[in-house]
Amino acid sequence: QVQLVESGGGLVQAGGSLRLSCAASGFIFSNNAMDWYRQAPGKQRELVASIGSEGHTNYADSVKGRFSISRDNAKNTVYLQMNSVTPEDTAVYYCHRIDVIEGIPIDDWGQGTQVTVSS
């Protein structure tokens, strides 16, 4: 059974830093691209950062230069380092990956971790 368990969220002041973790199990982690999404109140869920199985990364324009995604395949964990945060970064952050079952893509999501940035 696939499990994605996020941790590391909390309250942080603007300009501060936070590191989110996502512990994965139930699949071959090293073979999978992993993503971080976020959803702010009243807004759609948006892609924040992605990391491929080989380590290639992509970021939303809003977080480029401030956030960094990384992975530790030995620990089956993906991280999101958040620096210079602003109140606009306040959201629930979700770990995500896409599985393909019989040719059909299936989204796997964690339960989310709340990040609140105070001004």
Side-chain angles (χ1 to χ4, degrees), residues 9-64:
L11 177 64
V12 60
Q13 287 190 332
S17 297
L18 211 57
R19 189 175 84 152
L20 307 183
S21 300
C22 171
S25 61
F27 61 98
I28 303 174
F29 179 78
S30 60
N31 288 354
N32 281 255
M34 299 295 298
D35 314 301
W36 283 98
Y37 279 74
R38 67 185 181 187
Q39 187 166 19
K43 294 187 177 181
Q44 288 191 336
R45 194 171 295 191
E46 63 173 354
L47 179 63
V48 175
S50 298
I51 185 165
S53 58
E54 78 291 347
H56 181 71
T57 59
N58 282 294
Y59 298 93
D61 287 343
S62 58
V63 307
K64 278 181 183 176

Side-chain angles (χ1 to χ4, degrees), residues 4-119:
L4 301 172
V5 180
E6 301 97 334
S7 61
L11 177 64
V12 60
Q13 287 190 332
S17 297
L18 211 57
R19 189 175 84 152
L20 307 183
S21 300
C22 171
S25 61
F27 61 98
I28 303 174
F29 179 78
S30 60
N31 288 354
N32 281 255
M34 299 295 298
D35 314 301
W36 283 98
Y37 279 74
R38 67 185 181 187
Q39 187 166 19
K43 294 187 177 181
Q44 288 191 336
R45 194 171 295 191
E46 63 173 354
L47 179 63
V48 175
S50 298
I51 185 165
S53 58
E54 78 291 347
H56 181 71
T57 59
N58 282 294
Y59 298 93
D61 287 343
S62 58
V63 307
K64 278 181 183 176
R66 301 188 299 120
F67 289 12
S68 177
I69 188 171
S70 62
R71 65 191 299 157
D72 185 338
N73 289 339
K75 296 183 178 180
N76 286 359
T77 300
V78 60
Y79 304 97
L80 185 69
Q81 178 66 44
M82 307 169 60
N83 298 328
S84 303
V85 296
T86 73
E88 288 68 37
D89 295 319
T90 295
V92 178
Y93 284 72
Y94 297 92
C95 186
H96 169 265
R97 74 123 189 181
I98 293 179
D99 193 8
V100 179
I101 300 176
E102 298 182 347
I104 300 173
I106 305 293
D107 292 299
D108 291 322
W109 297 97
Q111 82 288 352
T113 186
Q114 175 71 49
V115 172
T116 303
V117 182
S118 63
S119 56

